[in-house]
Amino acid sequence: MNITRENKDALNAVVTVAIEKNDYATKVEKILTDYRKTANIPGFRKGHVPMGMVKKQYGKAVLIDEVNKLIQDGLNKYLTEEKLDVLGQPLPKMQDEIDWDSETFSFEFELGLAPEFDVNLKGKKAITHYNIVADDKMIDDQVVNIQKQYGKLIAQNEVVKDSEITGTYTNEEEGIDNKVTLTLDKFKGKATEKQFVGAKVGDVLTLKTKGLYSDDHELMHALKIEHDKAHGLAIEVNFEISEINQRELADLDQELFDKLFGKDTVKTVSELKEKIKEDAEKQFVQQSDQKLLNDVTEYLVDNTKFDLPAEFLTKWMQTAGEKEMDEATAKEEYEKSEKSLRYQLIEGKIMEANGLKVDFEDVKESAKAMIKVQMAQFGQMNPSEKELEDIAARVLSNQDEVKRLSEQVVSQKLLNLYKEKANVKAKELTYEKFVKEVYGDK
């Protein structure tokens, strides 16, 4: 077998695989001999079928199969030995009908080659890494939320400003009939609040949906309607009050602290606030790190310039999936996935340049850490190493879980690298200000 390569340009090449009779003849002869021993053809005893008949019946199929195996094995070996970094898979070039009666064969394959490029982690403009802190207002609000959650409901005769009101929204024409419990602070305007204050059980209030809530999602959930229907909905609905309660706040005492955190873990209100702050800021770290990872990824894709063999990849995508695509669909799919493909190449380059690898132990440790967190949520704070190992083994028997955990490990390794080597600046702010700065006043 002889394999040669012609580089069309930096991103495209054609490989020619030439196969001669001595590459396949011995193997084909052996397979046909084995067939002869087992062939069951009427008129002949088993093992005594003439070889000529075996070759006539099976020869071409065996030849085609062996040639295809030779091509596949030869191509794989060639790509490995030549250390070619290819994108997608080699694509066979169209050729006239193959003469399988010939003794020599030649096949051509198109290759899409990965581009050469450099990655600069330290851009001129620094990327912000947010240090999100829980301020006093957030902590105090959370304390009140806890008191409400564990407090008692006391029935009231009429609605006051801080009542919890249960009732049913209806509109017969629009098919709306949904029971909800709400508080007046959820409404957008003060006029609605005034309608409710002083109302009693059994009263029916007529409300206009336009401007009732701050956004369409709240209206969607309140009326239990589709999002598209909630958008810009301007009708009247009735709200019949069935229950009015006031929530008596729970006492901030040891009984409540033990319910929340276990016996004697927290003993004072100050310790409660510290625990709330600690738990909140742990969650903020995850959100901040994800924002940094997203921002660095976007920076790298936008600022690492290289070309791709777009025509080859589009052609490859036509046949790579379970269903073949036409050219227009493949082009559309390529355009959708180009950014992702660029980042995969950039990520691979970064990991190789910095010696970042993911091995099975990394994935197993990640699985055990995940399991510990989940067990803690159910009150199992100190699982044994054997328990963790046994559960991790079951988790890692699922290939989808292995893939997901591997991706998480890669992300964490890259995140640590970006914090160390990228042009990153720290910025401390409260969660409320973080949301406004990153997501706007939504």
Side-chain angles (χ1 to χ4, degrees), residues 316-344:
W316 171 71
M317 290 180 78
Q318 285 184 255
T319 57
E322 290 182 7
K323 293 182 179 178
E324 286 199 19
M325 300 180 192
D326 59 35
E327 187 178 349
T329 304
K331 188 174 181 181
E332 186 179 332
E333 286 301 312
Y334 170 73
E335 288 171 356
K336 286 179 186 175
S337 61
E338 184 184 2
K339 192 170 183 179
S340 173
L341 176 57
R342 286 181 176 278
Y343 182 67
Q344 285 175 32

Side-chain angles (χ1 to χ4, degrees), residues 15-250:
V15 167
T16 302
V17 182
I19 296 175
E20 297 182 355
K21 185 175 181 179
N22 61 7
D23 293 321
Y24 60 81
T26 303
K27 189 69 182 290
V28 169
E29 193 68 27
K30 182 181 183 307
I31 293 172
L32 291 175
T33 300
D34 291 341
Y35 273 20
R36 186 185 181 209
K37 293 175 184 177
T38 58
N40 190 4
I41 297 177
F44 297 94
R45 285 185 296 142
K46 201 169 189 178
H48 290 78
V49 179
M51 180 57 86
M53 185 173 287
V54 172
K55 285 183 177 180
K56 186 176 181 180
Q57 187 161 348
Y58 301 109
K60 186 173 286 189
V62 171
L63 172 64
I64 293 170
D65 190 44
E66 285 308 306
V67 168
N68 281 328
K69 285 179 183 176
L70 277 170
I71 292 170
Q72 193 62 52
D73 293 345
L75 267 177
N76 290 338
K77 186 179 178 183
Y78 177 81
L79 296 177
T80 302
E81 289 178 349
E82 293 292 311
K83 297 179 180 177
L84 289 178
D85 192 0
V86 298
L87 302 178
Q89 296 290 334
L91 283 177
K93 291 189 75 173
M94 294 296 292
Q95 62 186 87
D96 295 333
E97 190 172 338
I98 300 167
D99 179 10
W100 291 105
D101 292 325
S102 175
E103 293 185 348
T104 61
F105 307 97
S106 180
F107 303 91
E108 290 184 331
F109 294 85
E110 295 178 69
L111 299 183
L113 305 176
E116 291 291 332
F117 60 92
D118 295 315
V119 179
N120 178 22
L121 286 175
K122 283 196 176 292
K124 291 180 181 179
K125 187 178 179 182
I127 297 170
T128 302
H129 185 211
Y130 294 96
N131 177 26
I132 309 168
V133 295
D135 61 358
D136 290 342
K137 180 180 181 302
M138 171 179 272
I139 295 167
D140 290 341
D141 286 347
Q142 186 58 27
V143 170
V144 172
N145 287 338
I146 289 170
Q147 286 181 280
K148 284 181 177 179
Q149 183 181 347
Y150 288 89
K152 296 177 182 176
L153 284 177
I154 299 173
Q156 294 178 288
N157 293 321
E158 63 180 44
V159 175
V160 295
K161 193 171 182 178
D162 60 351
S163 295
E164 289 187 17
I165 308 146
T166 299
T168 303
Y169 282 112
T170 57
N171 178 301
E172 189 174 342
E173 187 176 335
E174 296 292 335
I176 294 168
D177 187 350
N178 191 45
K179 187 173 184 179
V180 296
T181 297
L182 54 82
T183 53
L184 298 181
D185 60 338
K186 295 295 181 184
F187 293 119
K188 185 177 180 181
K190 294 291 182 184
T192 305
E193 182 182 302
K194 287 179 182 177
Q195 273 186 271
F196 272 87
V197 172
K200 297 178 172 58
V201 171
D203 285 355
V204 178
L205 307 179
T206 300
L207 307 170
K208 293 181 179 180
T209 58
K210 188 174 182 179
L212 187 60
Y213 290 96
S214 297
D215 66 50
D216 293 338
H217 288 92
E218 289 189 60
L219 183 65
M220 177 181 77
H221 294 303
L223 304 184
K224 204 173 182 180
I225 56 177
E226 298 293 328
H227 180 272
D228 291 345
K229 190 174 181 179
H231 182 66
L233 184 66
I235 60 171
E236 288 187 344
V237 291
N238 291 327
F239 185 87
E240 183 175 356
I241 299 172
S242 56
E243 199 174 325
I244 305 169
N245 293 296
Q246 189 166 30
R247 193 169 287 273
E248 183 181 86
L249 299 183

